[in-house]
Amino acid sequence: MKKATAIIAALGLLLSLAACAPAEHTRSFFAMDTYMELRAQAPEEVLARTEELIRSMESQLSVTLPGSDIYSLNETGSARVSDRTLALCRRALEICGETDGALDITVYPALRAWGFTTGSYRVPGPEELAALSPLVDYKSVALEGGTVTLPRGAMLDLGAVAKGAAGDAAAELLRQSGVKSGLVNLGGSVTCIGSKPDGSDWRVAVRDPVGQGYAAVLSVSDVSVVTSGGYERFFEEGGITYWHILDPKTLAPARSGLISVTVVGPDATRCDGLSTALFVMGAEKAAEFWRRSGDFEMLLITREGKIIITRALAERAEYRSGYGEELEVLSRD
Amino acid sequence: MTKTKAIIAVFAALLIISGLGALAVRSLPGGNVARVYVDGKQVREIPLDRDSETVIETAWGSNTITVTAGQLRVTEADCPDKVCIRTGILRGGVPIVCLPHRLTVTLGAGGDADAAVG
């Protein structure tokens, strides 16, 4: 009888503990040209404030929205911007420098020439790209006081880091509001807060870049996961596929042998910028860059379907859809 | 004594049932699903690993969503602009949106994943 009482008491305790945790809420909305989903053990009001924060960032950072900091800058060549925009410009320029221009936030005029900004796709001729080439140089962006200045004709676009920055800001707000478990999914740029409510890792899937389903599932906690892929926005002409990730050196779609680059690390802004830069670099240079850096992990998928993954991440990865048969695990030494 | 045993048996049975339930959920086929939202609320989840045709009827209008060979598209709609149909195949990162019907179709994580990137 004693035993039974003890068991009932224990189960009762478990149930009451479960009831103590705040209920999980989900909020989804459309912003920054993508579908976003917030999921957290927090009151709905906290998620509403997080959505507001992301929308206010969009209204400052958008390259296409009249009145945004970046829009005004591109219109006039010089603009006083908000502290947040300025800080993000500075961080983005650091990543441009660190990756030796594999990420370049001034590539926008070329992106426009290819029609990726409007959806009216076309293949610009070599002369046209050559004429745009002097405009693309992140080193020409001047930050002075609260003012950003560009050379005549140059344009700035923070699209390669904006979703990451929004993920960082959203996660920070949620953490400040006491959230211990949550998932910020900004159209495929995911920031995990803590682990799942049951204490296990979040399971973040990396989409199969060529087929349906997943290439891999990563079990992670308290990190951001960001993927850049050549299949997200693209068009075909004359049997050739052209995608939106341009090589800032050639101003043509980056053909580095990679089709999907996933970066995992504590900072979503950096993961976002690096995923684009490593895509442009290709597998070999990306591996060198990773060995020098030490503050992120990565999963690369080549055009042939081979997976190249860093050791610490390999321990957290399961492969799907036939991936992982051809596998290279990178280690630091 | 028999009462004790009965109570333990009931709890043991509950534990086994919930365990089996969790296993059943975990062993769902991994892969993408499409999520259909109307006016910001999820109304349907459509698996992409089998062919299907789903008609979403709301106060704003009707959209027919078709899955063929793993590819989803809106095939019929009584909206004025037909942007949802012209968007074509649903791909990661780019949802299908029918503004007049407040309808959005987006790729979501299915199976045992909490989120999907790429």
Side-chain angles (χ1 to χ4, degrees), chain B residues 18-62:
Chain B
S18 61
L20 285 176
L23 271 179
V25 169
R26 283 190 70 90
S27 58
L28 281 171
N32 285 327
V33 293
R35 296 204 182 129
V36 183
Y37 298 83
V38 174
D39 207 20
K41 288 191 183 62
Q42 185 176 325
V43 296
R44 196 70 65 89
E45 225 173 64
I46 302 176
L48 296 181
D49 53 4
R50 56 176 179 269
D51 292 358
S52 65
E53 193 179 277
T54 312
V55 181
I56 308 286
E57 287 271 2
T58 67
W60 295 284
S62 162

Side-chain angles (χ1 to χ4, degrees), chain A residues 201 203 206 215-220 262 264 290 296-300 307-320 323-324 326-332:
Chain A
D201 282 325
R203 295 174 61 80
V206 177
V217 179
L218 307 172
S219 298
V220 291
T262 301
V264 180
W290 171 75
F296 70 92
E297 303 296 327
M298 63 182 187
L299 185 162
L300 315 175
I307 284 194
I308 303 168
I309 188 169
T310 55
R311 175 152 294 168
L313 194 58
E315 287 165 12
R316 299 180 164 274
E318 292 161 30
Y319 305 106
R320 299 283 169 81
Y323 285 89
E326 235 198 302
L327 181 73
E328 183 184 340
V329 179
L330 299 175
S331 50
R332 284 228 148 71

Side-chain angles (χ1 to χ4, degrees), chain A residues 131-175:
Chain A
L132 291 175
S133 159
L135 300 177
V136 178
D137 180 10
Y138 68 93
K139 289 178 192 145
S140 68
V141 180
L143 307 182
E144 256 186 72
T147 303
V148 185
T149 308
L150 301 171
R152 203 184 171 80
M155 294 178 95
L156 194 138
D157 172 23
L158 293 176
V161 287
K163 276 197 283 170
D168 282 329
E172 194 191 337
L173 176 62
L174 290 171
R175 285 195 177 100

Side-chain angles (χ1 to χ4, degrees), chain A residues 26-48:
Chain A
T26 304
R27 189 177 183 93
S28 42
F29 51 96
F30 191 76
M32 293 186 171
D33 279 329
T34 188
Y35 216 70
M36 302 190 162
E37 192 174 277
L38 308 171
R39 176 176 159 188
Q41 287 191 310
E44 280 195 50
E45 174 265 332
V46 170
L47 299 188

Side-chain angles (χ1 to χ4, degrees), chain A residues 90-120:
Chain A
R90 193 165 280 135
R91 290 221 53 202
L93 287 171
E94 275 168 24
I95 301 171
C96 296
E98 193 189 0
T99 59
D100 196 22
L103 176 73
D104 195 316
I105 55 174
T106 61
V107 82
Y108 196 72
L111 212 57
R112 224 164 47 151
W114 285 89
F116 284 112
T117 55
T118 56
S120 313

